[in-house]
């Protein structure tokens, strides 16, 4: 049974364009179109779609206001379409704060150079966000032998979950996974709510994220105290016009200082450095102290700009095993190889748990390969970092 999609945009041309692209996938069906946020809310209640695509700027009710109402009244995953401008970035971040789970550039040529690739990316995101299943296991805290407060593990599935029947009861949606191709085994990660300090030496914290990352990063970083005694390196898959606005927003909401990383920045404790979109961020120590290096890498073997793997691999050369690396929600497997390198040097690796991830792809990648020591809910990661470091 196909996943149901509602397309919301005040342009009939754009609605038709999105509808035609999505309907090319037999697992997706556009069941309705709305031209403003108010219509969207009414149609969500009557049509019960699995996913909504939403424009930001619309008459009667804009996309941000609509998302707030949707999350209050009829929760469903919402993907925002946004212009790649600084103002568009701020509006999109507002929509993510309101509850939207992901965004894409409204101009398809800004998603990918090839239009067919852009259409594939859109269909893939919609499909992944529609694949959500209710939690079948009630999680209850229990104390593990190692002094870690754990939760019962939810097995990482080895195949995509089936679509819910169209008449299935709809409650608040549970975000679920993008699954790694070719995996046949199921892995039961240890899911914890608290950690006991290991006594390990640290010199830096590194965090990688993609889909769902902006909200997750804000939640983690806002817990860290002023005067946090280590530098923090952040890699979030995001367009270049968005990262400066995102860094500014994080800096306003966090006690630590956050900035978009610039070439030549001298790394300081208590600062978080966000990799600029469309470029690669590495760290070197050629001048005797760690410095940020920003490059315009076009290497064919690097699928993301910025890339978590690229940044993490560079950290292995500067900080070695004195690193706590955390992989948050996101599509794909970026960060897995960087974590493999860091773990080989003695670094500690954590991953966000499936239940709190928008898409479990990146955390699953490091969990399935047994790189992540534990999975932790996004609500607990910040406090666990403080305890451990």
């Amino acid at each position: 049974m196909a996943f149901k999609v509602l397309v919301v945009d005040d342009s009939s041309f754009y609605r038709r364009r999105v509808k035609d692209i999505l309907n090319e996938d037999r697992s997706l069906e556009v069941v309705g179109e709305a031209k403003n946020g108010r219509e969207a809310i009414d149609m969500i209640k009557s049509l019960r779609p699995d996913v909504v695509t939403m424009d930001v700027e619309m008459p009667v009710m804009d996309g941000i206001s609509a998302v707030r109402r949707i999350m209050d009244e009829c929760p469903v995953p919402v993907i925002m379409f946004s212009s790649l401008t600084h103002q568009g970035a701020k509006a999109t971040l507002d929509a993510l704060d309101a509850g939207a789970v992901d965004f894409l550039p409204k101009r398809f040529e800004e998603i990918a150079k090839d239009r067919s690739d852009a259409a594939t990316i859109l269909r893939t995101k919609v499909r992944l966000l529609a694949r959500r299943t209710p939690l079948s296991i009630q999680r209850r805290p229990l104390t593990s032998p190692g002094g870690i407060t754990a939760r019962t593990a939810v097995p990482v599935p080895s195949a995509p979950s089936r679509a819910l029947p169209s008449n299935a009861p709809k409650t608040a949606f549970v975000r679920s996974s993008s699954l790694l191709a070719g995996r046949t085994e199921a892995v039961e990660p240890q899911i914890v709510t608290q950690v006991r300090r290991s006594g390990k030496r640290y010199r830096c914290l590194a965090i990688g994220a993609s889909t769902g990352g902006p909200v997750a990063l804000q939640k983690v970083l806002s817990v860290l105290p002023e005067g946090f005694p280590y530098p923090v390196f952040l890699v979030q898959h995001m367009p270049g016009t968005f990262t400066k606005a995102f860094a500014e927003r994080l800096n306003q909401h966090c006690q630590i200082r956050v900035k978009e990383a610039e070439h030549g920045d001298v790394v300081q404790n208590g600062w978080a450095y966000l990799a600029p979109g469309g470029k690669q961020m590495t760290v070197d120590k050629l001048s005797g102290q760690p410095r940020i290096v920003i490059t315009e890498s076009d290497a064919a073997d690097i699928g993301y700009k910025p890339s978590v793997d690229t940044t993490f691999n560079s950290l292995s050369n500067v900080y070695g095993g004195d690193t706590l690396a955390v992989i948050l929600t996101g599509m794909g497997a970026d960060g897995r190889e960087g974590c493999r390198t860091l773990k080989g040097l003695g670094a500690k690796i954590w991953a966000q748990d499936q239940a709190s991830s928008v898409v479990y792809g990146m955390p699953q990648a490091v969990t399935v390969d047994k790189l992540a020591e534990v999975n932790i809910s996004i609500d607990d990661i910040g406090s666990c970092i403080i305890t451990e470091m």
Side-chain angles (χ1 to χ4, degrees):
M1 185 174 295
F3 295 114
K4 300 189 293 183
V5 185
L6 175 67
V7 177
V8 187
D9 198 292
D10 59 330
S11 164
S12 59
F13 170 78
Y14 199 79
R15 292 197 306 270
R16 184 169 63 252
R17 187 182 187 193
V18 173
K19 178 180 179 179
D20 289 346
I21 289 171
L22 295 179
N23 281 341
E24 287 179 14
D25 188 327
R26 287 187 295 178
S27 69
L28 303 173
E29 179 189 5
V30 175
V31 294
E33 302 174 39
K35 59 180 180 290
N36 60 62
R38 186 173 297 168
E39 282 189 7
I41 293 167
D42 292 339
M43 295 181 79
I44 289 170
K45 292 177 179 178
S46 62
L47 297 174
R48 295 181 176 273
D50 297 296
V51 179
V52 175
T53 69
M54 178 88 68
D55 190 19
V56 174
E57 297 181 7
M58 296 179 291
V60 184
M61 181 182 288
D62 63 84
I64 299 168
S65 300
V67 170
R68 290 195 185 100
R69 288 273 305 276
I70 290 166
M71 295 305 144
D72 285 341
E73 300 176 18
C74 43
V76 63
V78 178
I79 300 175
M80 304 301 297
F81 281 114
S82 170
S83 62
L84 289 189
T85 63
H86 190 70
Q87 192 59 38
K90 288 183 175 181
T92 302
L93 292 170
D94 285 340
L96 293 173
D97 280 346
V101 294
D102 202 6
F103 66 92
L104 281 171
K106 191 160 187 179
R107 293 177 59 190
F108 275 60
E109 57 269 28
E110 292 172 335
I111 300 176
K113 292 179 181 179
D114 186 279
R115 290 197 174 191
S116 65
D117 290 342
T120 299
I121 290 171
L122 172 58
R123 288 191 292 264
T124 300
K125 280 184 177 282
V126 170
R127 219 171 32 242
L128 288 173
L129 293 175
R131 277 195 188 119
R132 64 200 192 283
T133 54
L135 282 176
S136 57
I137 302 175
Q138 180 66 37
R139 295 166 177 240
R140 294 175 182 172
L142 56 93
T143 302
S144 68
I148 297 176
T149 302
R151 292 173 175 169
T152 51
V154 176
V156 176
S158 59
S161 55
R162 294 181 181 273
L164 291 173
S166 60
N167 61 351
K170 301 273 182 122
T171 54
F173 65 87
V174 177
R175 295 159 173 174
S176 66
S177 77
S178 90
L179 299 168
L180 300 176
R183 290 289 176 192
T184 57
E185 73 275 23
V187 174
E188 293 191 2
Q190 183 184 16
I191 303 173
V192 306
T193 59
Q194 298 175 9
V195 296
R196 177 180 293 171
R197 176 164 166 72
S198 67
K200 175 178 168 52
R201 177 195 182 199
Y202 288 103
R203 288 188 290 156
C204 78
L205 169 65
I207 306 177
S210 184
T211 307
V215 173
L217 280 169
Q218 183 169 313
K219 185 165 286 192
V220 171
L221 295 177
S222 63
V223 177
L224 302 185
E226 183 179 2
F228 186 70
Y230 308 99
V232 184
F233 302 100
L234 310 173
V235 184
Q236 164 69 50
H237 295 166
M238 186 175 274
T241 51
F242 278 46
T243 43
K244 185 173 179 60
F246 183 42
E248 290 171 351
R249 177 167 300 220
L250 289 174
N251 193 53
Q252 292 170 358
H253 286 85
C254 299
Q255 298 178 68
I256 64 170
R257 291 166 288 186
V258 184
K259 73 184 298 284
E260 182 185 47
E262 298 177 78
H263 184 74
D265 279 343
V266 177
V267 174
Q268 300 179 61
N269 293 340
W271 280 83
Y273 301 90
L274 178 67
K279 300 178 182 180
Q280 299 296 355
M281 178 178 77
T282 57
V283 179
D284 71 28
K285 203 176 180 180
L286 298 178
S287 60
Q289 59 187 127
R291 289 180 182 267
I292 300 289
V293 177
I294 305 298
T295 57
E296 303 271 357
S297 173
D298 288 318
D301 60 335
I302 300 177
Y304 301 97
K305 296 195 311 185
S307 161
V308 181
D309 282 332
T310 297
T311 298
F312 281 21
N313 281 327
S314 77
L315 295 178
S316 71
N317 296 323
V318 177
Y319 298 101
D322 300 337
T323 303
L324 173 59
V326 183
I327 298 295
L328 302 181
T329 173
M331 289 172 56
D334 188 25
R336 176 176 56 191
E337 298 312 313
C339 284
R340 195 186 309 280
T341 302
L342 285 168
K343 189 176 180 69
L345 296 171
K348 188 176 287 288
I349 313 296
W350 291 349
Q352 185 175 346
D353 73 344
Q354 181 174 2
S356 68
S357 294
V358 173
V359 178
Y360 189 56
M362 287 167 55
Q364 183 185 14
V366 294
T367 299
V368 166
D369 276 18
K370 300 181 180 179
L371 301 173
E373 179 181 295
V374 292
N375 278 204
I376 309 173
S377 168
I378 194 62
D379 293 326
D380 301 320
I381 288 177
S383 61
C384 286
I385 289 172
I386 294 172
T387 299
E388 172 63 20
M389 300 189 76

